[in-house]
Amino acid sequence: MTYFLAAVVLALALPWGGAAVARRLADRLAPRWACWTLTCAAVLLAGGTISVLVGLFHVPFLASLERLPLSRVLDEWPAAVPVACAAGIVMLAQLVLLVRRWARHRSLLGRAWLSADEGTGEGDVLVVPGTDVDAFALPGYRGRGGRVVVTSGMVRSLKAGEREVLLAHERAHLAGRHHLLSAVVDLAAVVHPAIGGLRETLAFHLERWADEEAAAAVGDRRATAAAIARAALAGAAHRRAAGYPLLSATSGPVPRRVQALLLPEPAGPRGGVRRAGVVAGAGTVLVTAVAALALAYGLHEYVEYAARRLVGASSG
């Protein structure tokens, strides 16, 4: 029982520490690698949490495989059935929330496409008439490819060079399929509250990734920083929440993004940063693996212990 309880506590507490490590590591990586680190961490932590819940839910059933009556199981661990029921309820609630969040994503995307249908333009750019000052990357939907949606108000607010930066930024979101990374983390956040803390961090690094792509496309980091700041100021009255499914150059902590663009281009995960990333990633995987093995061993020991007690009582 000691191994079992220790494994459960470790596995359920792991996402809090794992999320904190992932955020600290992301701040030391180039934006592209930071986004992938956060996404992989979210998937890994969500998977570990679900594994623990499945294990808790199956404790009475594992005991039945050893032909242990339920009454005997409750004698050895009175909380076995309540805990299994609680795990089942939590997993059911997670499933309902997951379906609802996915439906909300699709609904938002559908409404965005309806509004974009009013726009005109050529290629991958749609200009929507109106006084709103907004621009965002619109992912593909029902067979239609992704588009960059810009309101006429935003077009009027920016100069030609600034519009070039804005379009390059939104195209980087589409080309990198950033909305998928955002969606994965947003859905994983349903599983454990600690993972929800990764969404805001990921949104920032996705914007930083697109900023760097835009700077490379126009070949001028200072001009890119100025264009991002001007677009954010112009769209200040029309803030949208960052994240899936609509990613925008005007979202997130713009001052931090502008400050980063005024610095030299961030290098890839080389040298000390790469070693730190490898160590941190390997450490997270190792702790997760140990927690999973400990849980499996604890379940096995619990069933074996209960079986021995039952055999001993029968012999007496």
Side-chain angles (χ1 to χ4, degrees), residues 36 52 86-87 90 98 107 129 136 176 197 209 211 214 217 222-223 245 308:
W36 281 108
V52 171
V90 170
L98 190 66
S107 175
F136 55 89
W209 183 355
D211 288 343
R222 286 189 171 274
R308 288 195 298 269

Side-chain angles (χ1 to χ4, degrees), residues 160-238:
E162 293 168 341
R163 290 196 293 269
E164 182 183 356
V165 171
L166 182 69
L167 295 179
H169 177 102
E170 304 303 347
R171 283 173 175 146
H173 280 316
L174 294 176
R177 303 183 72 81
H178 295 173
H179 62 284
L180 294 181
L181 302 184
S182 183
V184 167
V185 175
D186 192 37
L187 294 174
V190 170
V191 176
H192 196 288
I195 304 175
L198 299 179
R199 288 183 296 187
E200 184 177 349
T201 306
L202 176 66
F204 168 71
H205 287 289
L206 285 174
E207 295 303 329
R208 283 282 300 116
W209 183 355
D211 288 343
E212 293 297 333
E213 293 291 331
V218 302
D220 190 333
R221 296 181 65 81
R222 286 189 171 274
T224 301
I228 294 297
R230 185 175 178 85
L233 287 174
H238 188 86

Side-chain angles (χ1 to χ4, degrees), residues 19-142:
V21 170
R23 287 194 298 269
R24 292 289 296 273
L25 177 60
D27 288 339
R28 288 163 173 76
L29 295 173
R32 179 193 301 268
W33 297 102
C35 293
W36 281 108
T37 296
L38 292 167
T39 304
C40 292
V43 172
L44 191 65
L45 297 174
T49 301
I50 292 174
S51 298
V52 171
L53 292 173
V54 170
L56 290 172
F57 182 71
H58 279 85
V59 167
F61 303 102
L62 290 172
S64 67
L65 293 178
E66 294 285 341
R67 297 181 181 180
L68 292 175
L70 184 59
S71 59
R72 189 60 180 172
V73 174
L74 294 177
D75 287 341
E76 300 298 335
W77 187 23
V81 172
V83 168
C85 292
I89 292 171
V90 170
M91 287 191 293
L92 180 61
Q94 289 173 339
L95 178 61
V96 172
L97 292 174
L98 190 66
V99 172
R100 289 181 60 184
R101 184 160 295 183
W102 176 253
R104 186 182 67 180
H105 288 172
R106 301 301 293 176
S107 175
L108 289 173
L109 189 56
R111 291 201 300 270
W113 267 102
L114 285 177
S115 65
D117 286 341
E118 302 174 2
T120 59
E122 296 181 358
D124 62 346
V125 179
L126 290 174
V127 179
V128 178
T131 58
D132 289 339
V133 181
D134 196 15
F136 55 89
L138 183 59
Y141 182 69
R142 294 184 176 178

